[in-house]
Amino acid sequence: MATDTPAAAALQEELLRRARSRAARPAPVPDAVHHGPAPLSHAQRRMWLMDRLGQGSASYSVPFATRLRGPLDLDALAAALTSLVGRHDILRTRYGQQDGEPYQEVLPAPEAMALRVVETAADGAGALLAEEAHRPFDLAAGPVPRALVLRHGPQDHTVLLTFHHIALDGASLETVAGELAELYSAAARGAAELPAPPQYADFARREQAAADRLEQGLRLWEGRLEGVSPLRLPRPANPPADRGPRSAGTHTTPLDPRVPAALRELGRQHRATLFTVALAAAFATLHRFTGQDDLVIGVAGTHRQGAEMRGLVGLCVNTLPVRVNTAGDPAFTALVERVREALLDAQQCRDVPFDLILERLGAAARGTDGTALIRVTADVLGEPTILRLPGTVGEYVEVGPGEAKFDLSFGLVDTDAPAGLVQYGRTALDEEAAAGLGAHYGALLTAVADEPGLRLSRLPGGAPAPRDETGGHPAEALLRSDPGVAEAAVLEPAGGPLLAYAVLREIGGPAPAELRSRLRAVLAPELVPAAVTLLDTLPRTADGAADPARLPGMPPAPQGARAEAVTEGFTALLGRPPRPDDDFFLLGGHSLIAVQLAERLRRALTLPLTGLDIMQARTPRAVTALLDARAAERAAAPSVTTAGPRRSREGTVLVTGGTGGVGAFLLRELAAQGRPVLALARPESAHLVAGDGVDVIEGDLTDLDGLRKAVDSADAVIHAACTFTRPEVDVTAMAAMVGSWSRGPFVFVSSVDAYGHPAGEWVAEESAPGQPLSPYGQAKLDCEALLLQAAGSQGRGGASAVRSPLVWGPHHRLRDQLRWGATGVLYQAAREGRPIAVPRPGSGGHAWYGAAWVHAAALARSVVSCLDSPVHGVANAVSGHVTWHHLAAALTELLGSDSEILETDEVHPDLDHRWHYHSDRLSPSLRLQPGEDWRSALAAMAGPSER
């Protein structure tokens, strides 16, 4: 995903900046005269688009953690946080959409903000903090900040406040920390109230009103960036298996304490700041690394100007592209002067929002292969902001989401422990090259501090060593590594585009669009074939090589209603009819248009499609192929019957989560028993749950009215849907369903995570939870409480909360959980042939480490049995327990891996599970049927045939 956006830049820069000084006390301003919905600022709009594209995740969470030693008044802290949210509207703002345009709307001030307090040792705090920081926000509900307090002792706490970046930047964090300290003191001891602060919605309205005055600045930016080409970086030949789409790596080189002072003096001699000198060092390092002269680096600007902005909390940052030419092998001092002038030029037009610059540049904002204009950023990192509460001593706590917002970022750490820092996207930059780059950056900073007059050619650094690429084309190697592909070949016809061919292992394997999407996610754009063609067999020459003479050429232009809809959509939104292989970005597309195009096609074709799909497929041919694949999947499913407002069959069972792995087995079990089913699903996913005896009612967990209607239309409920990452949505959905429940049994598929960390090795059903309890586990517990408290009243039937552990069985969703979920650390190591480290029995004082598991079919039988025989409480559904060592051994055997299994005293957080769960109440239904043992279940999920 491209990151040339003001929102992404804001986050990268502001999180790296760490705030050098505390903000002044807020100055009084008149009350805002505007009320009701307000437009989004340009920075907010970009953030909203990232969320709509499905890229919200943890990248845009802003965690702010401080360890506080001394007496902490939790009531005063809660009161201070409540007052803070009441003072600043932006902290209680929701984001809606009307007629395709987003807006922001302030919610009423909360009566009280809750603090979640967890007892935990200090050495176990990191995992809890990271988990909390990774919980995404629901922008439609409002990004109210979350507060987590970890109690390590009577006078030892870690306080984590998590904000969404759409509501806050680095300068805001300083204001928040300062005001919280004063409000805490006022709540604990009594003090005068703070004057009213300015409100962000007024800033957004002023920005919108001034939009027509930006034309001159846009013309200047257009001229400055004319002819610029995006930077080329060496992508990884074999990206790490544990990468996420934005997984980050970091290399830090400690510097001698004299280096920052020397660089500051160098700047003074050349009328430049330390930031300018550090930026020049980044340009020099980049020049030495790439060999390119014409370079662009993004830096953070701000809209905070004038007294009326003092004390404002909100997103007021902007990306400034700084373009510098390093040609002529100048001395570093001369480069500093070039950078100083380029930075001054950029700052003269800092009011022009970066997204407007990109819109003005159009296709020129990307390279011909779609590479983003801004791939690199730079900053100087000062002392971090911390929470300073009266009577306590604060210590900064790093809570990194581990995700890169840009492909490459340089940072000069200007603290008592100076360092040169390089952060990079692990899918964008080769690991070995990044390590060398980090070392060269630190060495270059030291070299120019010692001898500023060195020419660039004499500075440390250089291009990375060339790769050995004798193993064939990277796309071919990646295709062959796909478990669904038996053979693959990649050819480059004379005068034509790169073409790929694949032979699947069996019918029903990955579609061409899916395979091409996987290639695009890993490879540089120029290495991605224009098309992937599926063959029954791969024609070969006598020596075994693929025979180009017998391979088909470029597939013909797609035809049919879906192809026409795609062409019409491209034409309507991009202003000209595209050819089949025209690139979305080169036609002038950007993220907002991607969202609009996806929504247009989704409505017209009733097929699942997201803006991210558009940005990954990019061409009409690829988008059409993706839609064709999803239409074929729908056609293979039974026909869909949409339910009316009331049930039409007695005994109808409402099932939520039917499109998931557990849901699929539930529908299968209900069908086997001849029970009529009402399945809740989004329109584009309805075909996935349709079948004989299954009606479909449209909705999801965020559609509370739809949930109420669905519950009211059924005689029994099985609630298996879950967001996994948005506990507040899960609990709100359960409350809505319970409120409409008026008859029959209700079964909730819960999780053993609701037990938290029990004290003993064996856990009885309905045991009290042990701390710490994850947000996911707490949400399950809260949902159970809502259900069980309502059971048996006002005509309602019995209630059952069925807690399950890891669920295994032949379904692609369950396969993905095996490969990337809690067991992913074992699976990926086995797949790559790396050593597998598992906890040694006895480590940490625990005799056993492993997993509880249940076969999906057994879980389905157990859940359905509760319709006739409710447990009136909590029951566990567990098929068995397996040690991590035995699981790792089975995976290496199934995957044909030669990984060595090592038992260590170090316990990986994902493997820190040491409990067995009793499952007596549902034991008759849990008896394993043939093929339901854990080894057979693993074989079905780990094998290449499972989809």
Side-chain angles (χ1 to χ4, degrees), residues 169-482:
D169 57 16
S172 301
L173 197 59
E174 300 168 7
T175 299
V176 163
E179 288 195 9
L180 272 176
E182 296 190 54
L183 294 168
Y184 176 88
S185 179
R189 306 172 187 174
E193 292 186 1
L194 296 176
Q199 300 297 342
Y200 187 82
D202 297 325
F203 162 75
R205 291 186 178 98
R206 290 195 301 269
E207 185 186 72
Q208 186 186 58
D212 58 353
R213 297 197 293 269
L214 298 175
E215 180 59 31
Q216 181 179 357
L218 282 169
R219 286 199 299 267
L220 289 173
W221 277 117
E222 190 175 13
R224 286 178 188 146
L225 298 175
E226 183 179 3
V228 70
S229 298
L231 187 70
R232 306 303 297 272
L233 296 173
R235 294 213 180 201
N238 296 294
D242 61 343
R243 75 191 188 280
R246 299 181 182 181
S247 129
T250 302
H251 288 286
T252 303
T253 304
L255 300 175
D256 190 284
R258 64 179 176 77
V259 170
L263 297 177
R264 192 173 278 107
E265 174 60 21
L266 166 61
R268 187 191 65 78
Q269 295 175 7
H270 293 270
R271 298 179 295 117
T273 63
L274 176 63
F275 174 81
T276 303
V277 176
L279 181 58
F283 273 109
T285 304
L286 208 53
H287 164 73
R288 297 282 291 142
F289 184 68
T290 65
Q292 297 180 41
D293 289 326
D294 190 4
L295 301 169
V296 177
I297 293 179
V299 303
T302 181
H303 292 303
R304 296 177 185 274
Q305 301 175 50
E308 69 278 4
M309 298 283 280
R310 191 175 299 122
L312 177 67
V313 172
L315 185 59
C316 296
V317 291
N318 188 32
T319 298
L320 301 180
V322 180
R323 183 180 187 181
V324 170
N325 196 304
T326 62
D329 194 22
F332 182 76
T333 50
L335 180 62
V336 168
E337 294 179 357
R338 292 186 191 182
V339 172
R340 182 194 65 209
E341 295 306 314
L343 187 58
L344 288 173
D345 285 344
Q347 289 173 339
Q348 288 176 359
C349 297
R350 62 179 176 270
D351 291 335
V352 181
F354 184 59
D355 63 332
L356 294 186
I357 299 173
L358 294 180
E359 289 182 13
R360 175 60 63 91
L361 293 175
R366 294 178 179 270
T368 56
D369 58 7
T371 304
L373 173 62
I374 300 292
R375 303 187 68 189
V376 185
T377 64
D379 204 353
V380 174
L381 319 178
E383 293 291 346
T385 301
I386 64 172
L387 193 58
R388 303 179 188 274
L389 301 184
T392 67
V393 176
E395 176 188 349
Y396 174 74
V397 177
E398 180 73 38
V399 185
E403 297 185 357
K405 285 67 179 180
F406 287 87
D407 292 339
L408 180 62
S409 294
F410 294 95
L412 170 60
V413 180
D414 182 25
T415 65
D416 293 339
L421 180 147
V422 168
Q423 185 189 66
Y424 62 98
R426 297 174 69 206
T427 59
L429 186 61
D430 184 80
E431 300 267 0
E432 184 176 348
L437 183 64
H440 290 156
Y441 178 56
L444 188 146
L445 288 168
T446 300
V448 297
D450 292 337
E451 195 173 348
L454 285 174
R455 294 192 175 275
L456 300 192
S457 59
R458 295 184 56 198
L459 292 176
R467 294 194 196 113
D468 178 9
E469 297 186 348
T470 58
H473 195 281
E476 184 175 318
L478 282 169
L479 284 172
R480 286 175 176 165
S481 69
D482 191 289

Side-chain angles (χ1 to χ4, degrees), residues 607-884:
L607 289 168
L609 194 69
T610 67
L612 187 58
D613 288 332
I614 298 293
M615 298 179 75
Q616 290 178 338
R618 291 176 38 174
T619 69
R621 183 192 302 277
V623 173
T624 302
L626 182 62
L627 290 168
D628 286 344
R630 290 177 179 173
E633 183 180 9
R634 170 175 293 181
S639 59
V640 178
T641 302
T642 303
R646 292 287 299 171
R647 68 191 189 285
S648 58
R649 296 174 293 170
E650 291 300 320
T652 293
V653 181
L654 170 67
V655 177
T656 69
T659 58
V662 172
F665 281 86
L666 285 170
L667 294 177
R668 193 178 304 168
E669 179 65 24
L670 289 165
Q673 297 188 16
R675 296 179 186 261
V677 172
L678 181 63
L680 183 79
R682 293 186 177 124
E684 62 269 22
S685 302
H687 64 289
L688 299 176
V689 297
D692 291 339
V694 178
D695 291 337
V696 176
I697 188 167
E698 296 180 1
D700 59 28
L701 294 188
T702 63
D703 179 8
L704 301 185
D705 289 338
L707 285 173
R708 296 184 184 101
K709 171 185 172 184
V711 172
D712 190 50
S713 300
D715 295 307
V717 178
I718 296 178
H719 181 30
C722 178
T723 65
F724 291 101
T725 59
R726 297 162 64 186
E728 66 282 358
V729 174
D730 295 327
V731 176
T732 302
M734 176 62 90
M737 295 178 71
V738 168
S740 292
W741 177 33
S742 62
R743 61 186 171 275
F746 194 128
V747 189
F748 173 48
V749 181
S750 186
S751 168
V752 294
D753 284 37
Y755 289 116
H757 286 58
E761 178 184 343
W762 277 93
V763 183
E765 292 169 304
E766 291 197 301
S767 296
Q771 295 295 337
L773 199 63
S774 68
Y776 173 75
Q778 183 66 56
K780 292 296 187 185
L781 205 60
D782 293 343
C783 288
E784 291 176 359
L786 288 169
L787 174 63
L788 298 177
Q789 288 168 7
S793 63
Q794 300 178 7
R796 300 181 178 104
S800 308
V802 180
R803 294 182 178 177
S804 71
L806 298 178
V807 183
W808 291 341
H811 190 277
H812 69 279
R813 292 286 181 86
L814 302 178
R815 174 202 63 190
D816 289 344
Q817 290 175 19
L818 172 71
R819 297 180 178 186
W820 302 108
T823 53
V825 64
L826 302 180
Y827 187 98
Q828 296 304 323
R831 187 180 69 83
E832 296 177 13
R834 291 186 283 108
I836 305 176
V838 298
R840 189 192 318 277
S843 300
H846 303 293
W848 184 89
Y849 285 94
W853 67 278
V854 63
H855 194 283
L859 175 59
R861 291 194 300 270
S862 302
V863 169
V864 174
S865 74
C866 294
L867 295 176
D868 296 324
S869 303
V871 298
H872 304 291
V874 173
N876 297 337
V878 179
S879 294
H881 301 80
V882 58
T883 67
W884 293 130

